[in-house]
Every structure is written in structure tokens, then in C-alpha cells.
Amino acid sequence: MLTRIDHIGIACHDLDATVEFYRTTYGFEVFHTEVNEEQGVREAMLKINDTSDGGSSYLQLLEPTREDSAVGTWLAKHGEGVHHIAFGTPDVDGDAAEIRDKGVRVLYDEPRRGTMGSRITFLHPKDCHGVLTELVTSARVEPDEH
Ligand code: CMX
Ligand code: CO
């Protein structure tokens, strides 16, 4: 069952400058950064709030590490902006299977590794009224030390 917004993914050209914008404009601090080579992104997670199911909601700022990645291709076509939304679930495998049975294309046969040890998959935007949609099961996480 999908229980929360896990994050909103925002594509940007310059991660450091975008992090600085969110910090100085809204006061959001970086909770975690990492490079995910499989996804072709350098990313920063800004925690917005905790949620009633014990999870959290984040902004995920994404800078491509290569032009031919999903975010690199999208940035070249559309410029910076909201790239995807992600729903949190305790059971990404079960929810992905149920959603696939409803005729929506699930992009991965098996969930892959996402931010902070989470397990993720994606639904095709053309089957979701134009919204690239990610499903996430989080690992238990602590913030990066700064
Ligand atoms: N939101 C909405 N529509 C999108 C989209 C997005 N983010 N990305 C692509 N599309 C649309 C395009 O506009 C295009 O539509 P038209 O044919 O009408 O122009 C269509 O989908 C095909 O787009 P494309 O540019 O040819 O791109 P691809 O088909 O090669 O890839 C997709 C699209 C969804 C399969 C690819 O982006 C993907 O695999 N995404 C999942 C992985 C990902 O996004 N990783 C980065 C984030 C990692 C993370 O969150 O941790
Ligand atoms: Co994401």
C-alpha cells in the first residue's frame, strides 16, 4: 500500500547551486548526498518532514553524471524542473506487481537500488498521465554527518 510521498525528484544542471538555492530561500538542509552510477545521477536529499508511518518526505535534487542518462536526456529536452514523483510503500515488490496487473508498465523486473539503500522501481510516464512515478521502499536511515 502506498502510504506517503517519499520524494519529489527535481532535475538540475548544477547540484551545488541548487542545494544553495533551497538552503538560502527555504532553509532546507541536505540530509544525504550520493552518486548513483546505475541511475546516472549525483543527488542530494533534503528532508522536509517525517510522516505518520515512520517514514519521511524529501526533495531529491538530481544532477546528471552523463548526458545519456534519464535525467540528462530529460534536462536537454525540457530544462530544469520537476522530473518525477515517488510514493513510499513498505512493499515495493507487491505494489509494483499489483500495478503491473492493472496494465501500467513497470520499468524494472526487479526493484533496483535507490537512495540511502532504498529499493525502487518506476512506472512509465505515458501510462500515468504524463507523470514519471517511482515506488520506494526505504531502508532505515540516519542523516549524513556534517
Ligand atoms: N516525465 C514525464 N514524461 C517523460 C519523462 C518524465 N520524467 N521522461 C520522459 N518522458 C516522456 C517524454 O516526454 C517522451 O514523450 P513524447 O514521446 O511525447 O515526447 C517519452 O516519455 C519518451 O521519452 P524519451 O525522452 O524518449 O526518454 P526514454 O523513453 O528514453 O526514457 C523513461 C523515459 C521514463 C523510460 C526513462 O526516463 C527512465 O527509465 N526513467 C526511470 C529512471 C530515472 O528516471 N532515473 C533517474 C532518477 C533516479 C532516482 O529517482 O533515484
Ligand atoms: Co527519485
Side-chain angles (χ1 to χ4, degrees):
M1 189 176 63
L2 309 178
T3 51
R4 64 195 156 88
I5 304 283
D6 185 275
H7 63 267
I8 298 169
I10 297 172
C12 62
H13 290 296
D14 181 337
L15 186 64
D16 298 337
T18 309
V19 161
E20 192 56 14
F21 170 81
Y22 279 91
R23 198 178 68 74
T24 56
T25 310
Y26 308 114
F28 297 145
E29 298 290 346
V30 172
F31 183 82
H32 173 80
T33 55
E34 77 180 68
V35 172
N36 186 330
E37 277 303 347
E38 184 182 23
Q39 294 293 337
V41 294
R42 190 163 81 91
E43 60 176 90
M45 297 297 272
L46 314 184
K47 187 160 157 180
I48 308 302
N49 60 274
D50 292 316
T51 59
S52 58
D53 64 356
S56 305
S57 295
Y58 302 89
L59 294 183
Q60 181 185 42
L61 305 181
L62 299 157
E63 177 192 271
T65 56
R66 33 174 213 275
E67 282 177 13
D68 66 350
S69 61
V71 173
T73 317
W74 191 85
L75 264 176
K77 274 195 191 167
H78 303 275
E80 295 187 314
V82 175
H83 179 257
H84 64 273
I85 62 168
F87 296 122
T89 165
D91 180 17
V92 63
D93 302 81
D95 286 333
E98 265 185 39
I99 290 170
R100 180 180 275 128
D101 284 347
K102 293 176 185 173
V104 174
R105 277 171 287 172
V106 177
L107 296 184
Y108 305 150
D109 290 337
E110 292 290 332
R112 296 185 185 173
R113 192 183 66 76
T115 319
M116 298 183 280
S118 60
R119 298 177 68 246
I120 62 171
T121 195
F122 290 88
L123 313 179
H124 200 286
K126 291 291 176 193
D127 296 348
C128 301
H129 296 266
V131 179
L132 175 59
T133 304
E134 179 181 350
L135 308 181
V136 186
T137 297
S138 310
R140 284 200 155 275
V141 289
E142 301 295 331
D144 289 355
E145 285 181 26
H146 289 290

